[in-house]
């Protein structure tokens, strides 16, 4: 419900207390419906994305920026200062459902579109259209046959284009968001990117090696092949619509084409680059061409800027510590940059940061072998690095709840075993085709393996991939798999062979029962080196001071409604149970750990359904966050 109230500031507290009593009744009588799960999900919430940022966008007046991430959230930012304005949550499921691969903001800044792996079954994909001002869902476009990889609005805001994996493009008018164009003739390959020019024409790229140009009335064009048979990724028109630039995922080339004829014009100078520059963008007036992606040097990923619209000399500057996923130049010459770290920043024209938002997460990349995460014999202690290659070491004890920075070496802490004479495991590091004794292991298509640990008892091995944690026996037969919340960068197995531990791209370390892959425990060590929270899958948690709301409960409200989210502290009375957390690795069973803890307490815990104990919430819609006033009366728009 919405109300517009004019209240004296000194009376606001009384008003809010009354509202809390009112909405408690509303929440207790709310019913759940829709095709998505009605079960609550425990999610991380640090105030910043905790997983890879896939796409970014900026409104025409350059007031707002929007980001979409693998962490299953869309976030709205104030471009002036980098402040977070709102978090848009989508209905989610276990596994990949809910990951946001594409976002766009309408030119007027009033509407936000988000897509990705958003279907309730992974097949019936959806695009969510949000009202930026009210934070409500304005429309859900359903029935797409595949995940949405890219979204873009036309400059006049009248059309929204969506590209899909293997199913081409769809275009929607934006009054009612009804479909006006569909082209699925893309040869079964990914349609990666789309962009409108000032005349309303649309250009797309696909891994079938073709660039397609659609006229302003969306007539289907003949195919135009990219030169040399490369795989085009991002594409963007110059501001005047006379040409467009293309970046690739399999070469460092950056090419420019004539928009009218699709004729190849020239290639920007990419000499000295060591990896792809697949993200391209033009400056506001078209005098500069920018590109970035995997190109890196000395631990940083670089953006290259060419003069004379890409035909001239270049300059380059540091942009992030991970792959660059989006570049949006602003009118004053600054750049909005999104990266996979996750990192989101505004860079001045010379590349120096004006503000930066970085994920508050440990980075387990390249923590393999001698640099891998280390475990005590039972796995109740874990030693890891907050930074890539295991830099900035820390050790955490489950039994004592102690986090120690730069700990002294302890011989009993063992790193992962990645090589033994009896097993020849190859092509597992950054590979799509890991092998055991020359025979390919069965993994999904396009599933890339990232980490390996061999059981010290020589009874199998653990393979961490971008999508799963997989355990195989010594013959290559998979015994179990577990969904990965993000890329599985690091893995290890305790010396007693009871538990597996994995470090994921969302900054969590998670313990699994090795016999069947059942998740037992998760730990999020905040990058500040002070705060941490550990929890069981059913929500019992232990946390350092000020850390318990680093996790919270996500509750779907149906397939086409905004989910609710509550910090863990709102349920502290039921779920704050250090006595349970410390016993999980002793029992290898959460229920048994609870029973032991209750026995010591002399009580029997009755676990209440989260939906039956939801706290009331009030969302202030206006004034905006960080607003200032000198008046003694304030008009408030709120949502209860």
């Amino acid at each position: 419900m919405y109300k517009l109230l004019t209240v004296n500031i000194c009376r606001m507290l009384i008003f809010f207390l009354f509202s809390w009593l009112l909405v408690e009744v509303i929440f207790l009588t709310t019913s759940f419906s829709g095709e998505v799960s009605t079960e609550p999900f425990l999610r991380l919430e640090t105030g910043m994305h905790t997983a890879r940022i896939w796409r970014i966008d900026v409104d025409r007046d350059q007031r707002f920026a929007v980001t979409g991430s693998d962490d299953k959230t869309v976030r709205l930012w104030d471009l002036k200062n980098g402040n977070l304005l709102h978090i848009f949550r989508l209905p989610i499921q276990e596994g990949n459902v809910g990951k946001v691969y594409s976002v766009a903001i309408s030119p007027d800044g009033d509407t936000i579109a988000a897509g990705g792996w958003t279907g309730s079954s992974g097949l019936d994909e959806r695009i969510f259209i949000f009202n930026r001002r009210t934070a409500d869902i304005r429309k859900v476009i359903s029935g797409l046959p595949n995940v949405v990889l890219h979204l873009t609005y036309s400059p006049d805001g009248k059309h929204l284009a969506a590209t899909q994996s293997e199913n081409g493009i769809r275009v929607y008018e934006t009054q009612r968001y009804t479909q006006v164009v569909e082209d699925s003739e893309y040869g079964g390959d990914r349609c990666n990117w789309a962009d409108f020019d000032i005349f309303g024409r649309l250009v797309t790229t696909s891994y079938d090696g073709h660039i397609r140009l659609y006229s302003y009335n969306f007539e289907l064009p003949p195919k135009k092949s990219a030169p040399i048979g490369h795989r085009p990724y991002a594409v963007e028109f110059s501001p005047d619509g006379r040409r467009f630039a293309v970046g690739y995922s399999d070469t460092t080339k950056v090419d420019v084409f004539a928009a009218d004829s699709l004729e190849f014009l020239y290639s920007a100078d990419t000499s000295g680059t060591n990896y792809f520059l697949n993200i391209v963008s033009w400056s506001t007036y078209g005098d500069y061409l920018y590109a970035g992606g995997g190109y890196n040097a000395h631990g940083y990923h670089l953006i290259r800027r060419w003069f004379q619209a890409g035909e001239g000399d270049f300059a380059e500057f540091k942009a992030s510590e991970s792959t660059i996923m989006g570049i949006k130049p602003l009118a004053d010459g600054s750049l909005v940059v999104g990266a996979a770290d996750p990192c989101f920043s505004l860079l001045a024209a010379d590349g120096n940061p004006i503000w930066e938002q970085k994920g508050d997460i440990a980075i387990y990349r390249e923590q393999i072998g001698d640099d891998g995460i280390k475990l005590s014999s039972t796995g109740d202690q874990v030693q890891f690095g907050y930074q890539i290659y295991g830099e900035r070491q820390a050790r955490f004890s489950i039994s004592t709840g102690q986090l120690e920075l730069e700990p002294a070496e302890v011989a009993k802490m063992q790193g992962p075993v990645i090589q033994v004479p009896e097993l020849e495991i190859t092509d597992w590091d950054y590979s799509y085709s890991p092998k055991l004794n020359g025979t390919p292991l069965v993994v999904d298509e396009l599933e890339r393996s990232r980490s390996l640990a061999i059981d010290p008892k020589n009874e199998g091995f653990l393979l961490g991939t971008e999508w799963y944690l997989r355990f195989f026996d010594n013959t290559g037969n998979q015994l179990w798999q577990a969904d990965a919340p993000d890329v599985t960068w690091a893995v290890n197995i305790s010396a007693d062979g009871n538990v597996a531990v994995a470090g994921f791209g969302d900054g969590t370390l998670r313990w699994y029962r090795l016999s069947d892959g059942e998740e037992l425990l998760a730990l999020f060590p905040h990058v500040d080196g002070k705060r941490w929270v550990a929890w069981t899958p059913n929500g019992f948690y232990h946390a350092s001071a000020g850390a318990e709301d680093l996790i919270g409960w996500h509750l779907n409200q149906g397939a086409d409604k905004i989910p609710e989210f509550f910090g863990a502290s709102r349920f502290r009375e039921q779920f704050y149970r250090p006595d349970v957390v410390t016993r999980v690795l002793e029992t290898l069973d959460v229920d048994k750990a609870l029973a032991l803890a209750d026995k010591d307490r002399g009580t029997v815990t009755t676990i209440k359904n989260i939906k039956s104990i939801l706290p009331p919430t009030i969302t202030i819609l206006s004034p905006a966050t960080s607003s200032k006033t000198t008046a003694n009366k304030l008009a408030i728009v709120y949502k209860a």
Side-chain angles (χ1 to χ4, degrees):
M1 58 181 168
Y2 297 89
K3 294 182 179 179
L4 178 62
L5 300 177
T6 301
V7 297
N8 188 288
I9 295 176
C10 67
R11 296 168 58 195
M12 288 172 60
L13 180 59
I14 298 173
F15 161 69
F16 284 146
L17 290 174
F18 172 79
S19 297
W20 273 51
L21 294 174
L22 176 63
V23 295
E24 184 172 353
V25 177
I26 295 172
F27 271 113
L28 290 176
T29 58
T30 297
S31 62
F32 284 70
S33 61
E35 301 173 16
V36 297
S37 172
T38 60
E39 293 303 310
F41 297 90
L42 266 175
R43 305 291 299 167
L44 284 170
E45 182 48 61
T46 67
M48 170 56 179
H49 289 299
T50 56
R52 170 172 41 194
I53 293 174
W54 275 103
R55 294 286 185 268
I56 66 173
D57 201 13
V58 173
D59 70 309
R60 179 175 52 215
D61 293 336
Q62 300 176 0
R63 298 165 296 164
F64 308 110
V66 62
T67 53
S69 167
D70 269 346
D71 68 7
K72 305 186 180 182
T73 68
V74 175
R75 295 177 188 245
L76 179 70
W77 308 87
D78 186 330
L79 268 181
K80 290 182 180 178
N81 49 32
N83 288 342
L84 178 65
L85 297 177
H86 194 76
I87 303 171
F88 297 87
R89 300 184 187 276
L90 283 63
I92 67 173
Q93 303 274 51
E94 291 287 356
N96 291 310
V97 175
K99 290 183 176 180
V100 181
Y101 299 156
S102 52
V103 291
I105 187 167
S106 60
D108 61 11
D110 285 345
T111 305
I112 294 168
W117 197 324
T118 54
S120 59
S121 64
L123 297 173
D124 179 21
E125 299 300 329
R126 296 174 169 88
I127 300 171
F128 290 83
I129 308 298
F130 296 97
N131 184 317
R132 178 191 60 80
R133 298 178 185 272
T134 65
D136 287 329
I137 293 178
R138 174 183 168 189
K139 173 80 173 181
V140 178
I141 303 170
S142 59
L144 283 82
N146 218 316
V147 298
V148 176
L149 300 178
H150 191 76
L151 290 165
T152 186
Y153 279 97
S154 58
D156 60 9
K158 293 182 179 180
H159 292 95
L160 174 70
T163 75
Q164 299 172 88
S165 177
E166 301 181 2
N167 291 91
I169 66 161
R170 297 190 178 197
V171 181
Y172 304 88
E173 56 80 26
T174 57
Q175 285 296 314
R176 297 179 178 83
Y177 283 92
T178 56
Q179 182 177 300
V180 294
V181 171
E182 176 183 351
D183 182 7
S184 57
E185 299 299 320
Y186 275 70
D189 286 287
R190 288 174 49 170
C191 181
N192 291 304
W193 211 277
D195 190 48
F196 287 97
D197 74 352
I198 57 174
F199 308 108
R201 295 178 299 181
L202 182 70
V203 64
T204 67
T205 57
S206 169
Y207 273 172
D208 64 5
H210 294 96
I211 300 166
R212 293 165 173 81
L213 181 67
Y214 299 80
S215 63
Y216 70 92
N217 57 358
F218 304 113
E219 294 176 356
L220 302 186
K223 293 179 181 178
K224 172 64 178 180
S225 294
I228 321 176
H230 290 301
R231 302 175 75 181
Y233 190 78
V235 60
E236 185 171 303
F237 279 107
S238 60
D240 60 9
R242 296 175 56 190
R243 49 196 158 190
F244 56 81
V246 177
Y248 304 88
S249 63
D250 61 346
T251 176
T252 61
K253 288 172 62 66
V254 174
D255 292 331
V256 177
F257 297 82
D260 290 333
S261 63
L262 299 187
E263 178 186 359
F264 168 73
L265 297 178
Y266 54 87
S267 295
D269 181 1
T270 58
S271 59
T273 57
N274 59 359
Y275 213 50
F276 55 81
L277 293 157
N278 61 330
I279 305 298
V280 295
S281 192
W282 299 86
S283 63
T284 300
Y285 304 106
D287 46 346
Y288 297 123
L289 177 62
Y290 297 89
Y295 170 42
N296 63 88
H298 308 296
Y300 289 92
H301 285 69
L302 308 178
I303 289 177
R304 182 166 286 195
R305 178 182 64 197
W306 292 273
F307 300 90
Q308 299 175 9
E311 292 189 272
D313 294 334
F314 64 84
E316 56 188 29
F317 44 83
K318 300 175 183 177
S320 73
E321 296 179 4
S322 187
T323 304
I324 294 167
M325 306 297 291
I327 303 171
K328 292 291 180 181
L330 303 184
D332 62 1
S334 59
L335 294 176
V336 184
V337 179
D341 302 44
C343 180
F344 182 58
S345 60
L346 179 64
L347 306 181
D350 60 3
N352 289 317
I354 298 173
W355 53 256
E356 185 177 58
Q357 296 285 358
K358 300 192 72 173
D360 296 322
I361 61 176
I363 300 174
Y364 305 116
R365 290 202 317 271
E366 305 299 339
Q367 296 194 40
I368 57 179
D370 293 339
D371 296 320
I373 55 177
K374 298 176 175 61
L375 298 174
S376 61
S377 59
T378 61
D380 66 326
Q381 294 185 62
V382 60
Q383 187 166 319
F384 61 92
Y386 277 104
Q387 299 173 357
I388 190 172
Y389 298 111
E391 297 293 325
R392 194 182 171 221
Q393 285 278 300
R395 182 184 300 147
F396 184 79
S397 169
I398 297 295
S399 58
T400 65
Q402 295 296 312
L403 179 64
E404 180 184 2
L405 296 179
E406 300 299 338
E409 289 294 327
V410 177
K412 293 182 180 179
M413 301 288 288
Q414 298 294 325
V417 177
I418 61 173
Q419 188 174 8
V420 295
E422 297 85 356
L423 299 175
E424 185 183 4
I425 306 170
T426 58
D427 300 320
W428 57 267
D429 190 7
Y430 286 62
S431 169
Y432 293 105
S433 55
K435 299 178 180 65
L436 172 63
N437 299 325
T439 301
L441 296 167
V442 177
V443 297
D444 289 350
E445 185 180 2
L446 301 180
E447 179 186 2
R448 183 179 295 177
S449 60
R450 296 289 193 174
S451 50
L452 173 71
I454 299 172
D455 183 0
K457 291 187 174 182
N458 200 28
E459 295 179 358
F461 58 93
L462 199 64
L463 188 71
T465 77
E466 294 196 346
W467 299 339
Y468 299 105
L469 184 65
R470 298 178 181 270
F471 187 62
F472 297 88
D473 65 20
N474 289 339
T475 67
N477 178 49
Q478 180 175 290
L479 301 179
W480 55 260
Q481 72 179 42
D483 288 329
D486 204 282
V487 178
T488 316
W489 289 114
V491 292
N492 200 353
I493 299 174
S494 61
D496 63 7
N498 287 332
V499 295
V501 179
F504 294 102
D506 65 353
T508 61
L509 292 158
R510 298 180 187 246
W511 282 252
Y512 299 83
R513 193 164 54 209
L514 193 64
S515 61
D516 60 5
E518 181 75 16
E519 183 177 337
L520 300 172
L521 194 65
L523 170 71
F524 179 75
H526 194 280
V527 76
D528 63 13
K530 300 177 182 178
R531 288 177 288 166
W532 57 267
V533 57
W535 67 95
T536 65
N538 58 358
F540 295 122
Y541 70 90
H542 187 196
S544 63
E548 55 189 331
D549 280 337
L550 291 173
I551 58 170
W553 291 97
H554 172 114
L555 291 96
N556 294 326
Q557 302 292 315
D560 58 353
K561 296 180 181 178
I562 292 284
E564 296 285 355
F565 185 85
F566 303 92
S569 65
R570 309 291 289 275
F571 309 95
R572 181 182 176 90
E573 182 178 354
Q574 173 164 309
F575 288 110
Y576 181 69
R577 295 293 301 270
D579 54 344
V580 176
V581 171
T582 56
R583 287 175 166 85
V584 168
L585 296 187
E586 298 174 15
T587 61
L588 300 180
D589 186 284
V590 176
D591 291 337
K592 290 180 180 179
L594 176 60
L596 285 178
D598 280 351
K599 182 178 180 181
D600 285 352
R601 282 186 170 198
T603 61
V604 177
T605 299
T606 300
I607 301 178
K608 299 177 182 177
N609 190 304
I610 286 289
K611 291 177 286 185
S612 70
I613 55 173
L614 292 179
T617 59
I618 293 175
T619 303
I620 303 298
L621 301 180
S622 71
T625 303
S626 303
S627 297
K628 297 180 180 180
T629 181
T630 58
N632 61 2
K633 290 187 177 182
L634 183 66
I636 297 176
V637 179
Y638 77 98
K639 174 184 176 183

